Amino acid sequence: MVIEIGGYNFYVVVIFVEKKKEGLEQGQSLSEEVVIKGNLNVIMELCLRRGFLIPTAEIYGGLAGAFDWGPLGCSLKNKVVEFWRKLFVRGEDNVFEIDGATVLPEAVLKASGHADHFTDPVISCKKCDESYRADHLVEEKLGMKGEGLSPSELNDLIVEGGLRCDKCEGELEEVRVFNLMFKTNIGSIEGNVAYLRPETAQSIFIDFKRIARSMRAKLPFGVAQIGHSYRNEISPRQAIIRLREFSQMEVEMFVHEDELNDFPGFERVANVPIRILTREQQQEEGGKDEGEVEPVEATAEEAVSRGIVPNKTLAYFLAKEVLFFEGLGIPPKAFKFRHMLPSETPHYSSGNFDLEVLFSFGWTEVVGNAHRTDYDLSNHSKFSGEKLKIQHGKDMVTPHVVEPSFGVERIVYAILEHSYRKDGERKWTWLKLAKRIAPVQVAVYPLLKREQMPEKAYKIYRYLKDEDFDAIYDDSGQIGRRYARADEIGIPYCATVDHETFEDDTVTIRDRDTTRQVRVPVKELQEVLKKLLNDEIKFEESGNPISTK
Ligand code: GAP
């Protein structure tokens, strides 16, 4: 099934058995089995060695819960962000993007509820002061669900389970609540409290009135934001999965409460299949590991009509997320939505559907989808005294909000784990990155460092750079080593200048995924690479195939 959104053609992998053929006829192989060959250690080793990530302040011993993006990581992240922007902002009729300040006055976070409710349960060791997230401790040490339990419930479990400090075996204190926001002070006078924003969403709510007016917006309309958020996590962990500073991409979609089921454009995604673990499944299969329960599969349309998803606005975003994640190369079976249980639902939400990805360490939330109702606008209106309403027909209304909230670092990590390959044919590991997000699109090599090959290769490389390709030039070491280095960071194509180039002005192009090679005239190289990168031609048809045996 092909769906066109935001200028992209999406080949939706239909996961229902009876429709499987339809998906495969498009010549796509996205439905390959989910085999995760990477794990946290190998992915992080690769990321640090090849410049995807750099531990923040590494030369001073590092800063827990913070990473800098290195050159390759930065390029990969930017491409993911750009793909998201194209799909969720520019490809939409009615979504506006803003870029708000990351420091917000206390009043904003009081009104939003974060100052009082944005907390995690923490427990510390009486002897060595080590702190733990109490719910995580219960999950890890007692194998019980800890999220959503009250501090006293967690305390009882910890005492009954006889848990002690992991580090020094010391006795643990009582569980207490800890606010996750970073607090600061504005200016030189103490008491002018502000916080680093814990989510990008709040600027959208406080800017609502001006955005609506300046853009002459009519319901439904959305406001998007991409930027940093900060949470003073008790135990940051799993590399870039739980950080203290991270990036979010959020849309607040403002919709009249009575029109949540009339979302314009829904028909474009109505047939997109989505996989959802329902609340009922989780309650019925409570004892089972999450991965053992097969999610319900339904199209977006069916999910709403069967009452699995409460409205079409929310279903619209879930369907678009399916397209986004498949477009990033995450296999369809490696992600699903989970309807969060009431005890896990954030304070501002009347219902959450988390998109979870299967990682080597289990299923983990990567996108939160919330029906925030009119909670935020009403509260900001009450606390600020400003009317945050909008004209809708004859009435002034406070719209409801549906919010998809994406974590950039988790998405990038999911891409890395799911594209990591280690197979028998190659002696090295490689990344099967979706071409649209590969940090480097093409590497240009001289076969040898003599006979004018470097000069010719460098000229081709410069030409490709000037034509806006993400290209690199590399002439060090043997050609096999250069291919290995390129594969390791997922470069889709390598173009090599050799003796023949000086006879017929052609170069070889090597395909990362198959390691096959074709010969292409230099004057057609740019056009051929463009078509290959946009999947407009098959590799075998892009030039004269050559045998590499
Ligand atoms: N505005 C709603 C909101 O912030 P959330 O579920 O708390 O919802 C959304 O966060 C996404 O942000 C998560 O799904 C996750 O991908 C990312 N995220 C949240 N906390 C994070 C952390 N400490 N480190 C890295 N990413 C995080």
Side-chain angles (χ1 to χ4, degrees), residues 118 198-201 229 231 233 240-248 250 252 346 348 352 354-355 365-370 372 403 405-411:
F118 198 57
E199 56 172 0
T200 64
S229 293
R231 297 181 189 179
E233 298 284 352
I240 58 170
I241 294 295
R242 191 170 297 281
L243 292 163
R244 290 186 168 130
E245 177 174 355
F246 54 97
S247 304
Q248 290 185 314
E250 301 195 301
E252 309 304 315
Y348 48 72
N352 255 60
D354 280 1
L355 184 150
E365 175 198 343
V366 173
V367 184
N369 293 287
R372 292 182 81 126
E403 174 202 63
S405 172
F406 298 67
V408 178
E409 286 77 4
R410 291 188 191 181
I411 295 172

Side-chain angles (χ1 to χ4, degrees), residues 273-512:
I274 44 189
R275 292 162 21 96
I276 304 172
L277 200 61
T278 64
R279 277 187 174 163
E280 293 69 34
Q281 283 181 301
Q282 294 168 72
Q283 274 144 3
E284 282 161 21
E285 318 258 4
K288 282 195 183 163
D289 205 32
E290 199 185 321
E292 293 173 45
V293 187
E294 194 51 34
V296 171
E297 296 179 351
T299 64
E301 178 90 59
E302 288 162 359
V304 177
S305 63
R306 287 165 61 185
I308 300 168
V309 176
N311 60 65
K312 285 189 176 170
T313 309
L314 197 50
Y316 178 80
F317 284 106
L318 303 193
K320 283 199 75 169
E321 286 163 29
V322 170
L323 302 179
F324 178 64
F325 277 80
E326 286 192 8
L328 293 175
I330 310 289
K333 291 259 176 180
F335 64 92
K336 63 160 189 274
F337 296 93
R338 187 166 73 83
H339 193 177
M340 290 177 85
L341 300 173
S343 59
E344 304 168 303
T345 305
H347 65 271
Y348 48 72
S349 173
S350 80
N352 255 60
F353 286 80
D354 280 1
L355 184 150
E356 298 183 335
V357 172
L358 181 60
F359 290 97
S360 55
F361 42 84
W363 290 92
T364 303
E365 175 198 343
V366 173
V367 184
N369 293 287
H371 180 192
R372 292 182 81 126
T373 67
D374 61 351
Y375 175 90
D376 298 273
L377 287 181
S378 295
N379 272 357
H380 283 303
S381 187
K382 200 157 69 193
F383 279 68
S384 67
E386 285 281 343
K387 281 204 180 73
L388 299 178
K389 289 181 184 281
I390 186 167
Q391 185 86 37
H392 189 62
K394 292 193 189 112
D395 307 320
M396 290 297 284
V397 298
T398 308
H400 269 222
V401 171
V402 168
E403 174 202 63
S405 172
F406 298 67
V408 178
E409 286 77 4
R410 291 188 191 181
I411 295 172
V412 170
Y413 188 78
I415 291 165
L416 291 171
E417 268 209 0
H418 284 281
S419 63
Y420 187 84
R421 296 286 185 280
K422 199 174 179 181
D423 43 47
E425 284 158 36
R426 267 177 254 208
K427 292 192 182 69
W428 52 82
T429 62
W430 58 290
L431 292 182
K432 194 176 180 181
L433 291 175
K435 287 183 253 181
R436 59 165 56 93
I437 50 164
V440 179
Q441 297 169 310
V442 54
V444 186
Y445 306 139
L447 179 66
L448 302 169
K449 253 174 135 172
R450 52 182 147 86
E451 296 164 35
Q452 298 295 305
M453 287 185 211
E455 289 78 2
K456 177 82 178 169
Y458 186 79
K459 208 168 144 193
I460 292 172
Y461 150 78
R462 251 335 311 173
Y463 168 68
L464 292 174
K465 282 273 264 200
D466 292 344
E467 290 295 321
D468 222 20
F469 284 88
D470 288 314
I472 57 160
Y473 170 85
D474 185 359
D475 63 10
S476 69
Q478 298 216 328
I479 192 77
R481 297 291 293 269
R482 282 181 255 161
Y483 286 150
R485 281 203 296 272
D487 282 356
E488 197 179 35
I489 58 169
I491 302 178
Y493 301 107
C494 300
T496 304
V497 167
D498 54 17
H499 295 105
E500 224 179 301
T501 309
F502 297 95
E503 289 162 20
D504 57 7
D505 210 28
T506 61
V507 289
T508 62
I509 306 182
R510 173 186 178 271
D511 176 42
R512 175 199 67 196

